[in-house]
């Protein structure tokens, strides 16, 4: 990929990200009571979160939820062209895993693309390596991605701005902590700091 072109685009899209980010932030403030759920429950306000999936990892292997069975998971949905929010949240995951020390090995971090058209296996491979050596990038066909987005109640929509050549994605931004049985333990929002997430994970692992 042309790095210079990509930098230019990133600068242009930062403005879009600000607006999208403000919108997501507002949505999340309105929904903050739904954020942290009790252990063993996959229900946020009665809605089941998570489910089986089949996707392609950044090493071109077809994987399902069974590949990560028995591990806790931190799952984030986003796209590699995201100028601000996704990198920040992935850095947060990376920091939390670092600060967890040995306990981090119990957790598999997963980054699922909401933009499989552009997020090819090769793009995902380059991208995840920027954040954490164990971060797995997952992409797939439109249908495979749509199914996982639906199961995790992720909002994602292509946004075409006439001023820019390329589209961006408007998407919800939550980090999901799943237990080894794929039950939802917590949902973290943009405003949840790395120390907050770390403390919550320590509590959840301790139980
Ligand atoms: Ni993003």
């Amino acid at each position: 990929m042309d790095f210079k072109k990509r930098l230019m685009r990133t600068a242009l899209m930062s403005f879009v990200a600000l607006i999208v980010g403000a919108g997501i932030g507002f949505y999340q403030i309105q929904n903050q009571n739904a954020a942290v759920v009790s252990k063993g429950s996959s229900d946020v306000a009665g809605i089941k979160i998570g489910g089986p999936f089949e996707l392609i990892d950044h090493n071109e292997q077809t994987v399902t939820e069974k590949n990560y069975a028995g591990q806790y998971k931190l799952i984030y949905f986003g796209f590699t062209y995201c100028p601000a929010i996704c990198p920040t949240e992935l850095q947060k995951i990376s920091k939390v895993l670092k600060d967890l020390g040995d306990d981090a090995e119990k957790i598999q971090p997963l980054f699922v693309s909401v933009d499989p058209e552009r997020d090819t296996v090769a793009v995902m491979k380059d991208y995840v390596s920027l954040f954490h050596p164990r971060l797995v990038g997952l992409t797939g066909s439109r249908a495979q991605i749509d199914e996982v987005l639906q199961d995790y109640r992720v909002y994602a929509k292509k946004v075409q701005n006439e001023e820019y050549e390329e589209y961006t994605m408007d998407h919800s931004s939550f980090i999901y902590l799943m237990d080894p049985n794929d039950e939802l333990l917590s949902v973290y929002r943009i405003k949840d700091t790395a120390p907050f997430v770390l403390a919550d994970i320590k509590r959840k692992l301790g139980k």
Side-chain angles (χ1 to χ4, degrees):
M1 177 170 299
D2 186 329
F3 186 65
K4 207 172 161 189
K5 190 179 162 200
R6 187 157 173 172
L7 265 184
M8 270 293 263
R9 184 201 49 227
T10 299
L12 286 169
M13 279 172 50
S14 291
F15 180 66
V16 176
L18 271 178
I19 293 168
V20 171
I24 291 169
F26 181 67
Y27 173 82
Q28 290 182 344
I29 286 162
Q30 288 188 313
N31 288 278
Q32 58 184 323
N33 291 333
V36 177
V37 296
S38 60
K39 180 177 165 60
S41 166
S42 284
D43 292 49
V44 173
I47 300 167
K48 166 89 178 153
I49 302 279
F53 59 79
E54 183 180 288
L55 295 165
I56 302 164
D57 76 9
H58 67 258
N59 290 316
E60 241 169 329
Q61 301 299 307
T62 297
V63 294
T64 72
E65 74 289 349
K66 294 188 180 74
N67 288 72
Y68 312 108
Q71 284 179 291
Y72 289 85
K73 284 154 286 270
L74 276 173
I75 310 179
Y76 185 72
F77 295 83
F79 66 116
T80 68
Y81 285 68
C82 184
I85 299 164
C86 294
T88 305
E89 294 305 286
L90 290 170
Q91 275 162 12
K92 191 190 288 179
I93 289 175
S94 180
K95 167 127 181 65
V96 166
L97 291 175
K98 186 169 164 262
D99 293 346
L100 264 173
D102 288 346
D103 276 344
E105 286 164 30
K106 297 175 187 166
I107 302 176
Q108 175 61 58
L110 300 173
F111 173 57
V112 184
S113 176
V114 300
D115 183 20
E117 287 86 356
R118 288 184 300 196
D119 288 341
T120 60
V121 167
V123 168
M124 291 294 273
K125 189 176 178 119
D126 278 352
Y127 191 71
V128 293
S129 71
L130 298 173
F131 297 97
H132 193 272
R134 288 196 302 108
L135 178 63
V136 170
L138 299 174
T139 186
S141 67
R142 185 74 256 173
Q144 286 173 321
I145 293 295
D146 283 345
E147 192 182 339
V148 71
L149 297 188
Q150 194 178 356
D151 286 349
Y152 281 83
R153 312 285 156 176
V154 175
Y155 165 78
K157 192 170 183 283
K158 201 182 269 193
V159 179
Q160 188 71 60
N161 187 317
E162 283 174 14
E163 290 173 39
Y164 310 131
E165 213 175 299
E166 298 186 69
Y167 64 88
T168 185
M169 299 294 294
D170 187 1
H171 67 99
S172 54
S173 177
F174 298 104
I175 298 168
Y176 300 85
L177 176 66
M178 310 298 289
D179 81 2
N181 298 314
D182 287 328
E183 297 288 327
L184 182 69
L185 293 179
S186 291
V187 179
Y188 308 112
R189 300 145 296 173
I190 293 170
K191 78 176 186 90
D192 294 331
T193 62
F196 174 91
V197 174
L198 177 68
D200 185 69
I201 292 176
K202 278 183 173 170
R203 271 196 303 276
K204 298 285 159 65
L205 290 181
K207 281 183 185 169

